[in-house]
Amino acid sequence: MKGVYSYSMDNSLRILKEHDIRPTQQRLEVHLILLKQAKHLTAEEIYEKVKVKMPAISPATVYTILDLFKQKHVVNEIRIQFDKSCFEARIDPHHHFLCKHCRNIFDINIKPCPALETRTIEGNLIEELQGYFYGTCRKCLEKNDDKPV
Amino acid sequence: MKGVYSYSMDNSLRILKEHDIRPTQQRLEVHLILLKQAKHLTAEEIYEKVKVKMPAISPATVYTILDLFKQKHVVNEIRIQFDKSCFEARIDPHHHFLCKHCRNIFDINIKPCPALETRTIEGNLIEELQGYFYGTCRKCLEKNDDKPV
DNA sequence: TTAGTATCAATAATCATTCTTACCTAAAAA
DNA sequence: TTTTTAGGTAAGAATGATTATTGATACTAA
Ligand SMILES: [Mn+2]
Ligand SMILES: [Mn+2]
Ligand SMILES: [Zn+2]
Ligand SMILES: [Zn+2]
């Protein structure tokens, strides 16, 4: 993660161009937000952030842009929460953890993960994978906060 | 899988009792359907099947029952499809594959999977996990059916 | 029996996401 | 420059799976 992404509009511009995405203002803004945050944001959260700079934008536009970004592989969509999607600029396959207590979502590194290292399983071609872990995060364990929200 | 489940109402009755679930007709019926199918069924599909025997039942009841079953760990819910959940009677942790072409969902066995063998990762306590794989299944590869639906 | 509790069906409500439509913009063509 | 064209966007309606609510019924324990 460190240094892989830098947070300038120039960078977003370059990345969009590299992926054959016409860089409109709205698309640049959405992409920059994801780059800057380096977090997992819902469409709603992204919409709220874009609206600060572009008050006229609509949620549907954000959804459309995220959909395009997904197809062009400039964002990763995760469905670790049942009721809504999150998006992130990190696109290399990696797993996620959702804490039942604090509801935080963060990346998980499984040391040698066979799932991440193979292209096929039992003859089936893997084009995408998602690993979701649910439980109690380290911080909440320390707080002895055992009951889920 | 072979022989682990048998498909009688007696078996459903026993399993519900073992999990402190009062065995109503509706609950037994939903459970039996999942046992018999040994597949991944949506709430809608389960509802349609229950309705054959119990025409008065409503979708909300099926959702309520599935929710109870989840809490009591007699079913496993998988969210490999973005728009709806599937349920299965198999409750030991295992991964799933969704084929983009034929839309089939099936179990995947990762030989030694560290994720399935550990209770904590980086200090975080894992209480549940889901591994979702997306791509082209063996059968569709054989058919040389390369384009997703 | 009777009060208290749990379950259920039906309906309405929720709410993230998608669809539809009309307008707008920017570049290509003339 | 003017016209054409394609694509992008905003707004609001529609979708559809799931959840909440509610009133009725069935079970349970004393
Ligand atoms: Mn991530
Ligand atoms: Mn399964
Ligand atoms: Zn936590
Ligand atoms: Zn297939």
Side-chain angles (χ1 to χ4, degrees):
Chain A
M1 295 262 276
K2 27 175 169 150
V4 175
Y5 305 115
S6 61
Y7 315 144
S8 73
M9 195 58 96
D10 283 353
N11 239 301
S12 286
L13 185 65
R14 178 179 53 74
I15 292 168
L16 295 199
K17 280 180 177 172
E18 280 173 6
H19 288 83
D20 289 312
I21 298 169
R22 200 164 83 184
T24 66
Q25 285 308 111
Q26 289 86 342
R27 291 170 179 176
L28 281 168
E29 196 56 39
V30 168
H31 190 262
L32 185 60
I33 284 164
L34 285 168
L35 270 194
K36 270 201 295 210
Q37 287 294 121
K39 276 282 166 53
H40 311 93
L41 297 176
T42 64
E44 163 83 18
E45 286 166 343
I46 294 166
Y47 167 66
E48 290 301 334
K49 285 176 187 294
V50 183
K51 216 167 46 168
V52 174
K53 286 214 181 159
M54 313 181 82
I57 201 167
S58 87
T61 303
V62 174
Y63 279 104
T64 307
I65 291 173
L66 289 171
D67 222 55
L68 176 69
F69 284 4
K70 244 191 309 174
Q71 283 172 29
K72 299 287 190 173
H73 299 102
V74 305
V75 301
N76 182 31
E77 178 178 14
I78 67 171
R79 297 254 179 176
I80 195 167
Q81 290 177 104
F82 284 3
D83 55 343
K84 61 181 89 95
S85 284
C86 291
F87 300 84
E88 61 178 336
R90 184 178 171 189
I91 49 168
D92 63 298
H94 61 285
H95 303 316
H96 292 95
F97 190 97
L98 168 62
C99 177
K100 290 181 180 178
H101 306 262
C102 62
R103 308 300 297 171
N104 271 126
I105 297 170
F106 47 87
D107 296 344
I108 281 291
N109 298 305
I110 305 278
K111 330 75 198 299
C113 179
L116 291 176
E117 285 152 17
T118 179
R119 292 298 302 148
T120 61
I121 295 182
E122 295 166 357
N124 307 294
L125 178 66
I126 301 165
E127 287 156 39
E128 195 199 328
L129 70 89
Q130 298 289 337
Y132 300 142
F133 296 85
Y134 303 86
T136 309
C137 79
R138 187 172 36 196
K139 286 183 181 173
C140 288
L141 283 175
E142 283 166 5
K143 282 189 286 183
N144 235 26
D145 183 9
D146 283 311
K147 278 84 197 162
V149 183
Chain B
M1 295 263 275
K2 18 158 185 178
V4 175
Y5 306 115
S6 62
Y7 316 143
S8 73
M9 195 58 96
D10 283 352
N11 239 301
S12 285
L13 184 65
R14 177 179 55 75
I15 292 169
L16 294 199
K17 280 180 176 170
E18 279 173 6
H19 289 84
D20 290 312
I21 298 169
R22 200 167 79 185
T24 65
Q25 285 307 110
Q26 290 86 344
R27 291 171 180 176
L28 281 168
E29 196 57 38
V30 168
H31 190 262
L32 184 60
I33 283 163
L34 285 167
L35 271 194
K36 271 201 294 210
Q37 287 294 120
K39 275 284 165 55
H40 311 93
L41 298 177
T42 64
E44 164 81 19
E45 286 166 345
I46 294 166
Y47 166 66
E48 290 299 335
K49 285 176 187 292
V50 183
K51 217 167 47 168
V52 174
K53 286 215 178 159
M54 314 181 83
I57 201 165
S58 86
T61 303
V62 174
Y63 279 106
T64 307
I65 291 172
L66 290 170
D67 222 54
L68 176 68
F69 283 5
K70 243 193 309 175
Q71 283 171 28
K72 299 287 189 173
H73 299 102
V74 304
V75 300
N76 182 32
E77 178 178 14
I78 68 171
R79 298 252 179 179
I80 195 167
Q81 290 176 104
F82 284 4
D83 57 341
K84 61 181 91 94
S85 285
C86 292
F87 300 85
E88 61 178 335
R90 182 179 172 189
I91 51 167
D92 63 298
H94 62 285
H95 303 315
H96 291 95
F97 190 97
L98 168 61
C99 177
K100 289 180 182 179
H101 306 262
C102 62
R103 307 301 296 172
N104 271 126
I105 297 169
F106 47 87
D107 298 343
I108 281 290
N109 299 304
I110 306 278
K111 340 54 222 295
C113 178
L116 291 176
E117 285 152 17
T118 179
R119 291 298 302 149
T120 61
I121 294 182
E122 294 166 359
N124 308 293
L125 178 65
I126 301 165
E127 288 157 36
E128 195 199 330
L129 70 89
Q130 297 289 338
Y132 300 143
F133 296 85
Y134 304 86
T136 309
C137 79
R138 185 174 35 197
K139 285 184 183 174
C140 288
L141 282 175
E142 283 166 6
K143 281 189 286 183
N144 236 25
D145 183 8
D146 282 311
K147 279 81 198 165
V149 183

